[in-house]
Structures are given as C-alpha cells and as structure tokens.
Amino acid sequence: MVRIALFSAPVLEFGGGLEKYYIETAAELAKQDGTLVDVVTMDDDFINRLTSFMQLFYMKRIDKKANFKESLTNIRERLGDAGYHKERTIRELRHRLSNYDVVYSKNELLESFMLKVLVGYNHLPPVVLGGHTPLAYPNPQSLQAKVHNFLYASPMYRFFASPANKYHVLNNEEELLYKKIFGPAKVHKIYNPFDDVAFRRQATRYPFNLSLDKTKLHILWAGRLTEQKGVADLARIIEAANNDDVTWTIAGDGDLRPIVEQLAANHPTVTYLGHVDQKYMSSLYSLHDIFLSTSKWEGYPYNLLEAKAWELAIIAYDIPGSSDILHAYGRGYLCRQPEQIVEQLQRWAMHGLEPPPKRVGSGDFGPETVYKQLLQLLNPTN
C-alpha cells in the first residue's frame, strides 16, 4: 500500500484551479489498487488568520467568505474514495504528514516555508513540490506581483524549496526554469489531466438565467477576479469590442468584483453570474461560442482545457501554460496585447467563426497518460 498526501495550506473549499487539481487527482489516484490518497490542509481558523495577515501584505481588505466558495458536501462527493483532513496546528500537521509514504505539496512560498521551518523535512517522507504557481510572473504591474518575482528568485525560496526530492512542473518554460535552479534530474514535466468526454457528460443542468440569441456570438470569461486573471484588461476589451452582435458572460469572484459589477450595470450585453460551482461549469461552456482568457500568468489552466472540450473558439494571451495548450488547437488564438484580442473578436463578430476542428483525443493531458505518470512520480521507491 502506497500512502500519498496532497498538501496545501488553504482549504479545498476555496474552489480554485489548485483545489480542482487536488480533488480530481486524489479521487483518480485513490481508485488505483494499492494506493491510499488523502488531501491535507490547515483548518478554517488557520486560513482566516492567514487571510488577516495577507490583508497587510496586499494592503487591502480581503473577503474571508471567498475562502469558502465550494460546499464541503460537494467536495467530499467529488473526492470519492480519497480522504480530506484539516489540521488545527503545525504539530498536528507534522504528525499527519509523517504517516504517509510521500507528500505532494504545492510550490508556494507559504507551503515551502511551513515544510522547511515549521514542520521540518526531517520529520517527513519524500516530498514532491508541484509547480502550480509560476516562479516568475510575466510583465508584473502591481507591487505585489513584483515582490512575488523578487521572492521566488531569491536564495530564501531556494533555501525553503531545495530539500524537496522532486519537482513537478506544468509547462515548458517552468521546466527550463526549475532545471536551472534545482538540477535536471529532479524535475519532471506532467501536464494537468483532463478528460474531454467526462467533462462534456457533466452538462446535464442549466441553472443559468441566460437569454442567448442564436444570431449573436456569446463570449464566456471564467476565473478568479484578480490581477493575475487580467480583470482590468477584460474591462478594456469589453468597452472596446462590445456591440449588439455579441454577449458577454462573466463567472467568478474575487477582490476585483466591483469592476465586473460595474461592467454589468453599464452594458445590457454583459451578464455577471458570480461564483459558479464546478459541477455547473460544463453546462455553462456548452452555451457559448467563444472563451476569452485574459490571464497574465498561469501554470496549466483548466479553463482552456474545459473550453477546448466544448470546441469553443479560444483567445488568450501568449503566456506559458496557455501557449502549451493552444499551439496544438485549431481554434486557439494567442495574443500579446488587449488590442489584438479586440481585433480578433471584432473579426469574428463581422465574419463569423471558423468551423470546429475534427475532434481528437486528449493527448498529453489525457487521464490515462497523466495519472500513470503521476503514480510513477509519487512512487517513493523511484
């Protein structure tokens, strides 16, 4: 029996891409014979205290309710045979993690600090750090993004992260960066797993009050409303490209929510849904023609894989992760500036969309391929 812990300080109820990855990966690996998998996080009180600290770092108020967007009932259902444990203290965390054969942790500074300084790698089995947060944000604008790049390029981060036994990266550019920092032998690139067919099968419910005229183009944007996801650029694009021939649907929540609420108030063509539970996302994609991503940086974004599963035309910035996915997709368009996105959207509105490409398999991110690679990565004897 191989016992695997997937560790992240924030709770799964946060409902972001990392949480989706942990839930689906834990559920799938737990199906394998001879494998026990648990997700381990800190508890709700710890996360609320952490949020209070982060408010000082970001110098703004953070809504603590945003830490608990997904229901615990839905999470446990999606986890299947995998377990979910929340620890109150570092002592409890150390005791919990020491009982596994391997620990997989996301690569952020917080988790690396906790494992190195508070828990201690000497108390742990082999540790794999998963690169779900880019070490370098392209073209950082805010002070916080610039501080992130400084910290993750510093000897301090290397000190916290270097005791890990292996490093899991999600795209080509991060693979090169990790190999430069930690050495080629310890770095393994494995894409996020995604099952196109299973995702499409989830589209059984339509809890959306959307009146979508089939004569118009319907554009979907989905993600956290943060600087990383390019919400300011989204507003610029809508203001420039909005007309009577298109509609915009925005799904997500975050600290830049007022910008989106104002867009919806100013434009009848813009609908803001707020946070949408993962169980409804397939239905939401199926109602649209175009998926728009304005993310400034990503690891390997699920939302592009989800849009691709429904053969939507996709337009995104040319960044690591997004480019890995869209270079091989017949309806994927990579741009560098908001103006290029506006031009492409206007072109589609005027001339229509190209027909969908012939449906192909999931390729390098197919579940069978990826989970086999992950099991090999998490095998403590390798």
Side-chain angles (χ1 to χ4, degrees):
M1 174 72 71
V2 177
R3 297 164 297 177
I4 302 169
L6 307 182
F7 170 63
S8 170
V11 295
L12 291 178
E13 291 90 320
F14 184 72
L18 184 278
E19 289 72 34
K20 173 183 171 66
Y21 178 86
Y22 269 27
I23 292 169
E24 295 187 355
T25 299
E28 188 62 33
L29 295 183
K31 297 176 184 177
Q32 309 301 314
D33 292 338
T35 304
L36 180 147
V37 187
D38 293 327
V39 178
V40 180
T41 72
M42 302 308 294
D43 72 356
D44 299 359
D45 289 339
F46 180 95
I47 298 307
N48 284 331
R49 293 194 299 272
L50 176 63
T51 301
S52 298
F53 171 78
M54 296 305 293
Q55 289 181 141
L56 298 176
F57 175 75
Y58 286 109
M59 296 178 291
K60 61 184 176 184
R61 182 181 175 277
I62 301 175
D63 184 4
K64 293 182 180 179
K65 293 181 180 179
N67 292 330
F68 306 95
K69 294 187 286 289
E70 293 280 341
S71 73
L72 184 57
T73 300
N74 180 43
I75 288 169
R76 293 199 183 279
E77 180 181 337
R78 291 165 59 198
L79 279 169
D81 293 331
Y84 181 22
H85 304 284
K86 299 183 183 183
E87 307 303 331
R88 294 181 301 165
T89 66
I90 296 299
R91 181 178 180 180
E92 290 182 358
L93 177 66
R94 181 186 300 117
H95 177 73
R96 172 75 65 182
L97 295 181
S98 67
N99 290 315
Y100 295 93
D101 298 309
V102 62
V103 173
Y104 180 101
S105 172
K106 69 173 181 175
N107 65 320
E108 289 193 8
L109 189 62
L110 172 63
E111 281 77 9
S112 301
F113 168 78
M114 292 174 69
L115 295 179
K116 171 70 176 181
V117 178
L118 302 182
V119 175
Y121 280 90
N122 58 310
H123 295 289
L124 297 174
V127 173
V128 178
L129 285 186
H132 297 271
T133 295
L135 297 187
Y137 293 163
N139 303 313
Q141 300 297 318
S142 70
L143 173 62
Q144 288 77 20
K146 293 176 181 178
V147 170
H148 169 97
N149 284 4
F150 172 77
L151 291 175
Y152 281 77
S154 69
M156 178 180 65
Y157 178 72
R158 298 188 190 192
F159 174 74
F160 294 150
S162 59
N165 298 77
K166 300 176 185 177
Y167 302 89
H168 167 212
V169 298
L170 302 176
N171 61 61
N172 294 328
E173 187 160 320
E174 288 284 298
E175 181 182 25
L176 295 175
L177 184 56
Y178 271 79
K179 286 182 175 180
K180 182 178 179 180
I181 296 173
F182 300 111
K186 299 173 73 174
V187 178
H188 306 265
K189 183 181 73 177
I190 304 173
Y191 291 138
N192 282 349
F194 191 79
D195 189 332
D196 287 4
V197 175
F199 184 70
R200 292 194 301 273
R201 286 175 181 162
Q202 296 174 18
T204 57
R205 288 174 283 190
Y206 297 85
F208 314 107
N209 185 23
L210 296 174
S211 299
L212 300 182
D213 185 340
K214 292 184 178 180
T215 65
K216 298 182 179 182
L217 284 178
H218 305 297
I219 303 169
L220 174 64
W221 187 101
R224 285 179 289 113
L225 304 182
T226 61
E227 177 199 358
Q228 176 200 348
K229 301 300 183 181
V231 174
D233 283 11
L234 172 64
R236 289 173 56 190
I237 291 165
I238 290 177
E239 294 291 352
N242 190 45
N243 60 63
D244 292 337
D245 296 323
V246 299
T247 70
W248 312 78
T249 303
I250 302 172
D253 204 354
D255 55 297
L256 298 183
R257 178 174 181 159
I259 295 177
V260 175
E261 290 176 329
Q262 192 62 52
L263 284 170
N266 292 345
H267 302 289
T269 55
V270 177
T271 300
Y272 174 48
L273 299 176
H275 172 73
V276 175
D277 284 351
Q278 183 60 37
K279 62 184 178 182
Y280 298 128
M281 285 305 298
S282 184
S283 297
L284 187 58
Y285 284 101
S286 72
L287 299 173
H288 292 80
D289 305 299
I290 299 169
F291 184 77
L292 168 62
S293 171
T294 51
S295 289
K296 303 288 189 176
W297 55 84
E298 290 285 0
Y300 201 76
Y302 270 112
N303 55 15
L304 298 190
L305 297 176
E306 292 170 342
K308 179 178 175 294
W310 278 104
E311 298 180 336
L312 273 62
I314 303 173
I315 188 164
Y317 285 134
D318 190 359
I319 58 173
S322 297
S323 61
D324 290 61
I325 296 170
L326 295 189
H327 274 312
Y329 182 47
R331 299 186 103 194
Y333 297 85
L334 293 165
C335 299
R336 296 191 175 275
Q337 301 295 332
E339 293 75 17
Q340 293 175 306
I341 293 179
V342 170
E343 290 175 5
Q344 184 62 51
L345 292 175
Q346 290 174 335
R347 191 174 301 118
W348 280 333
M350 182 177 298
H351 301 292
L353 296 172
E354 299 86 346
K358 182 179 180 181
R359 192 184 295 278
V360 295
S362 297
D364 290 341
F365 44 82
E368 184 176 346
T369 300
V370 171
Y371 289 125
K372 182 178 180 181
Q373 294 172 335
L374 283 173
L375 277 175
Q376 185 175 2
L377 176 70
L378 295 173
N379 189 330
T381 64
N382 289 341

